[in-house]
Amino acid sequence: MKTRVIVLNGGSSSGKTGIARCLQAVLPDQWLLLGVDTLVDAMPASMQMSDEGIGFGPDGGVTVGSGFRELEAAWIEGVAAMARAGAGIVVDEVFLGGAESQRRWQQALGGVGVLWVGVRCEAAVAAGRETARGDRTPGMAASQADMVHRGVTYDLEVDTTGQESMECARIIAARVV
Amino acid sequence: MKTRVIVLNGGSSSGKTGIARCLQAVLPDQWLLLGVDTLVDAMPASMQMSDEGIGFGPDGGVTVGSGFRELEAAWIEGVAAMARAGAGIVVDEVFLGGAESQRRWQQALGGVGVLWVGVRCEAAVAAGRETARGDRTPGMAASQADMVHRGVTYDLEVDTTGQESMECARIIAARVV
Amino acid sequence: MKTRVIVLNGGSSSGKTGIARCLQAVLPDQWLLLGVDTLVDAMPASMQMSDEGIGFGPDGGVTVGSGFRELEAAWIEGVAAMARAGAGIVVDEVFLGGAESQRRWQQALGGVGVLWVGVRCEAAVAAGRETARGDRTPGMAASQADMVHRGVTYDLEVDTTGQESMECARIIAARVV
Amino acid sequence: MKTRVIVLNGGSSSGKTGIARCLQAVLPDQWLLLGVDTLVDAMPASMQMSDEGIGFGPDGGVTVGSGFRELEAAWIEGVAAMARAGAGIVVDEVFLGGAESQRRWQQALGGVGVLWVGVRCEAAVAAGRETARGDRTPGMAASQADMVHRGVTYDLEVDTTGQESMECARIIAARVV
């Protein structure tokens, strides 16, 4: 089955988005890059400061409410429909719920060729990159580094600790069919 | 039929996005804001500088190629699927092709309750706001002010020339069923 | 004395930055746009979340600590030096301390031709624009609308409630000598 | 002489800004981060598209005109004045003119303690990071990688090819007196 969706899952500052942009550059055909950041930007501003929406704890922990989950469910259906309509999609995700998050995408993507990719980075290195970016809530990188991979199954995993985004992208692109 | 999609169509710097954010604040329920800017951000960087993608002329004219149209078709299908899955969507659009652009959305949105809204602004005022924003290609506002409305049919029209975004949003929200 | 600095003071979402960009477009010669947003972006990320730096209250109130004041004092000296070195500068400011804030700039700008401009906007209108922008802490516009003008003296005042940024810019530019 | 200014010079996508933010996090006292990006943002929009201002060639080459140089001269004077007023400043620069660019800063910074730091990155690696960032003119990284260091003298050099921003920042911070 032709690969139509590449799901990149990894913690904050693990390097997913950089890999995704390199994938867009090296893959044949044109792929869209959509992810949890796109979804959050599309939500009402009020969702980002309420129990219904997204909460950022002082230690970098992230919680999402029922309002977020409802919009997210429709979003996932829509991204799956884009793939069925013929677009290639790189999904840049943070599975805060681990295996349960993956299950939500798996249900929506039935019948679509998906490549599941784990993006890892040592917690200390990701925390340094979080500081270097300067616009992220401190602590998110360390808090999410392992948590987002719990119980998730992958077709392949890459590690940005000692490997550039472009190298990771080439390894992933070689697995696209 | 319950309104699930509000399509705001207007030229660059006509004030669509401001109205869209106010709609998200005043409408009951949570609505997603998606638009042509979301789509362009999701495209490969290379699309923004090639004949296949988007071209910005020195006079503010915008052209899109066949690669753009293919990804856009899948995008529109996906946004329609999000609405069918139960999310309310504010679509922030620039119908460069006028009636032909509207037809593409109408086909995808069959069976979905849609409110079609024209967002107008006097060309000279929009051009001034383009300068005030400072990050847009000069000339786009004037070039698109009338063009994007050619042959398009609306449920209602608002004019931001002398009316604030919030006022326009309240007028539109009153028509949502 | 030739005008070298134009200080625009107004509350959040009063339209200062839009006027500043229009001023850059209509003034003869090239002017730099520098302001409190430039300074805040230049500060360490940690300053934005500590008692030493900037605090944003739940009601839109803003407080600044002693660490902020020290860097700001050096910043003001530097901006004054740029003007003395021959550059025209539009300063985009929010005088949280009213007259006391103005005094800090007056001391540094001794011997420099300055045009002091108050930028006003009705609190309700500014609050609507804050919602339309979507990226500001709700409540800042209303909380600052009057406060920032307390005890401040101006060469001229403009009001964006019913006047476009470009119109205000032309009024101000006519007073530059 | 106490270090008041740290000048980081390197090509586009060599990692200067990431190092600068890490420096702000690890240095004692609060330092401002100012650089050529701050200056360009402060310039009139028109400067970015004219012979007087900045030009970006199709191959990633960058040229600056006489209007740019005039504003830059005043800017440099102002940054030096901020350091003399007691602020620590990390200057994030791209010496397009090599030794001649350094000379401009040296003249303005007379009497100020400066640490000159070269930030290097292999051209191929920097080009990959440019792709990963997705918002830079392709080709700038490769075109500037060596050029910006020609004839420039440093107190120390760091190389981000195989070293994280945070590691480089710690090496630099150890040299601040």
Side-chain angles (χ1 to χ4, degrees):
Chain A
M1 192 158 50
K2 197 168 154 59
T3 309
R4 279 276 136 242
V5 173
I6 302 170
V7 177
L8 304 178
N9 175 48
S12 184
S13 292
S14 64
K16 297 175 307 295
T17 310
I19 294 173
R21 291 210 194 88
C22 288
L23 276 169
Q24 288 187 298
V26 300
L27 284 169
D29 305 327
Q30 307 292 355
W31 292 63
L32 291 177
L33 166 51
L34 296 169
V36 67
D37 288 349
T38 320
L39 173 60
V40 169
D41 285 351
M43 288 190 174
S46 62
M47 289 283 285
Q48 305 192 19
M49 307 164 203
S50 75
D51 292 348
E52 285 298 287
I54 313 160
F56 295 92
D59 57 347
V62 178
T63 53
V64 301
S66 61
F68 184 98
R69 286 287 171 231
E70 282 171 35
L71 287 178
E72 187 194 33
W75 165 259
I76 291 175
E77 287 296 330
V79 173
M82 290 178 203
R84 287 200 186 89
I89 319 267
V90 183
V91 175
D92 175 3
E93 259 286 1
V94 183
F95 286 171
L96 292 175
E100 172 62 19
S101 300
Q102 184 175 33
R103 199 192 48 74
R104 277 195 286 272
W105 279 97
Q106 282 169 326
Q107 284 195 326
L109 289 169
V112 177
V114 183
L115 189 70
W116 299 93
V117 182
V119 180
R120 296 195 177 259
C121 182
E122 281 177 19
V125 170
R129 292 179 188 169
E130 180 177 77
T131 301
R133 295 169 79 172
D135 60 350
R136 305 289 147 149
T137 310
M140 282 176 65
S143 137
Q144 298 176 0
D146 294 317
M147 182 182 77
V148 301
H149 297 291
R150 278 191 205 137
V152 181
T153 55
Y154 297 114
D155 294 305
L156 80 159
E157 297 186 46
V158 292
D159 192 321
T160 67
T161 309
Q163 208 156 23
E164 294 288 316
S165 298
M166 186 56 92
E167 295 175 86
C168 296
R170 290 194 195 284
I171 292 167
I172 298 165
R175 295 286 297 273
V176 169
V177 291
Chain B
M1 191 157 50
K2 194 168 157 60
T3 310
R4 278 276 138 241
V5 174
I6 302 170
V7 177
L8 305 177
N9 176 47
S12 183
S13 292
S14 64
K16 298 174 307 295
T17 310
I19 293 173
R21 290 209 196 89
C22 288
L23 275 169
Q24 288 187 299
V26 302
L27 284 169
D29 305 327
Q30 307 292 354
W31 291 62
L32 291 177
L33 165 50
L34 296 170
V36 67
D37 288 348
T38 320
L39 173 60
V40 169
D41 285 350
M43 287 189 175
S46 62
M47 290 282 285
Q48 306 193 19
M49 306 164 201
S50 76
D51 293 350
E52 284 297 287
I54 314 160
F56 296 92
D59 57 347
V62 178
T63 52
V64 300
S66 61
F68 184 98
R69 283 289 171 232
E70 281 170 36
L71 287 179
E72 188 193 32
W75 165 260
I76 291 175
E77 287 297 329
V79 173
M82 291 178 202
R84 287 200 186 90
I89 319 267
V90 183
V91 174
D92 175 3
E93 258 287 0
V94 183
F95 286 171
L96 292 175
E100 172 61 19
S101 300
Q102 184 174 33
R103 198 192 49 73
R104 277 196 287 270
W105 279 97
Q106 282 169 327
Q107 284 195 325
L109 289 168
V112 176
V114 183
L115 190 71
W116 298 93
V117 182
V119 180
R120 294 195 179 261
C121 181
E122 282 177 18
V125 170
R129 292 179 188 171
E130 182 177 75
T131 301
R133 293 169 80 174
D135 61 349
R136 305 289 147 149
T137 309
M140 282 176 63
S143 137
Q144 300 176 359
D146 294 318
M147 183 182 77
V148 301
H149 298 291
R150 276 188 206 138
V152 181
T153 55
Y154 297 115
D155 294 304
L156 80 159
E157 297 188 45
V158 293
D159 192 321
T160 68
T161 309
Q163 208 155 24
E164 295 288 316
S165 298
M166 186 55 92
E167 295 175 86
C168 296
R170 290 193 196 284
I171 292 168
I172 297 165
R175 294 286 297 275
V176 169
V177 292
Chain C
M1 192 158 48
K2 195 168 155 61
T3 309
R4 279 276 137 242
V5 174
I6 303 170
V7 177
L8 305 178
N9 176 46
S12 182
S13 292
S14 65
K16 298 176 306 296
T17 311
I19 294 174
R21 291 209 195 89
C22 289
L23 276 169
Q24 288 186 297
V26 301
L27 285 169
D29 305 326
Q30 307 293 355
W31 291 62
L32 291 178
L33 165 51
L34 296 170
V36 67
D37 288 349
T38 320
L39 173 59
V40 169
D41 285 350
M43 289 189 174
S46 62
M47 290 282 284
Q48 306 193 20
M49 308 163 202
S50 76
D51 292 350
E52 284 298 287
I54 314 159
F56 296 92
D59 58 346
V62 178
T63 53
V64 301
S66 61
F68 184 98
R69 284 289 172 231
E70 281 170 36
L71 287 178
E72 187 193 33
W75 165 260
I76 291 175
E77 287 298 329
V79 173
M82 291 178 203
R84 288 201 185 89
I89 319 267
V90 182
V91 174
D92 175 3
E93 258 286 2
V94 182
F95 286 172
L96 291 175
E100 171 63 18
S101 300
Q102 184 175 35
R103 200 191 48 73
R104 276 196 286 270
W105 279 96
Q106 282 169 326
Q107 284 195 327
L109 289 168
V112 177
V114 184
L115 189 70
W116 298 93
V117 182
V119 180
R120 294 195 180 260
C121 181
E122 282 176 19
V125 170
R129 292 178 188 170
E130 182 177 76
T131 301
R133 294 169 80 173
D135 61 349
R136 305 287 148 151
T137 309
M140 282 176 64
S143 137
Q144 299 177 358
D146 294 318
M147 183 182 78
V148 301
H149 298 291
R150 277 189 205 137
V152 180
T153 55
Y154 297 114
D155 295 304
L156 81 158
E157 298 188 45
V158 293
D159 192 321
T160 67
T161 309
Q163 210 155 23
E164 294 288 316
S165 298
M166 186 57 91
E167 294 175 87
C168 296
R170 291 193 195 286
I171 292 168
I172 298 164
R175 295 285 298 274
V176 169
V177 292
Chain D
M1 192 157 50
K2 195 169 155 57
T3 309
R4 280 274 137 244
V5 173
I6 302 170
V7 178
L8 304 178
N9 175 48
S12 182
S13 292
S14 64
K16 297 176 306 294
T17 310
I19 294 174
R21 291 210 195 89
C22 289
L23 276 169
Q24 288 187 297
V26 301
L27 284 169
D29 305 328
Q30 307 292 355
W31 291 63
L32 290 177
L33 166 51
L34 296 169
V36 68
D37 288 347
T38 320
L39 173 60
V40 169
D41 285 349
M43 289 190 173
S46 63
M47 290 282 284
Q48 305 193 19
M49 308 165 202
S50 76
D51 292 349
E52 285 297 288
I54 313 160
F56 295 92
D59 58 346
V62 178
T63 53
V64 301
S66 61
F68 184 98
R69 285 287 172 233
E70 282 171 36
L71 287 179
E72 187 193 33
W75 165 260
I76 290 175
E77 286 297 330
V79 173
M82 291 178 202
R84 286 200 186 90
I89 319 267
V90 183
V91 175
D92 175 5
E93 259 286 0
V94 182
F95 286 172
L96 292 175
E100 172 62 18
S101 300
Q102 183 174 35
R103 200 193 48 74
R104 278 196 285 272
W105 279 97
Q106 281 170 329
Q107 284 195 326
L109 289 169
V112 176
V114 183
L115 189 70
W116 299 93
V117 182
V119 179
R120 296 195 177 258
C121 181
E122 283 176 19
V125 170
R129 293 179 187 170
E130 182 177 74
T131 301
R133 293 169 81 173
D135 60 349
R136 306 289 147 149
T137 309
M140 283 176 65
S143 138
Q144 299 177 359
D146 293 318
M147 183 182 79
V148 301
H149 298 290
R150 277 189 205 138
V152 181
T153 54
Y154 298 114
D155 294 304
L156 80 159
E157 297 188 46
V158 292
D159 193 321
T160 67
T161 309
Q163 209 155 23
E164 294 288 316
S165 298
M166 186 56 91
E167 295 174 86
C168 296
R170 290 193 195 285
I171 293 168
I172 297 165
R175 295 286 297 272
V176 169
V177 292

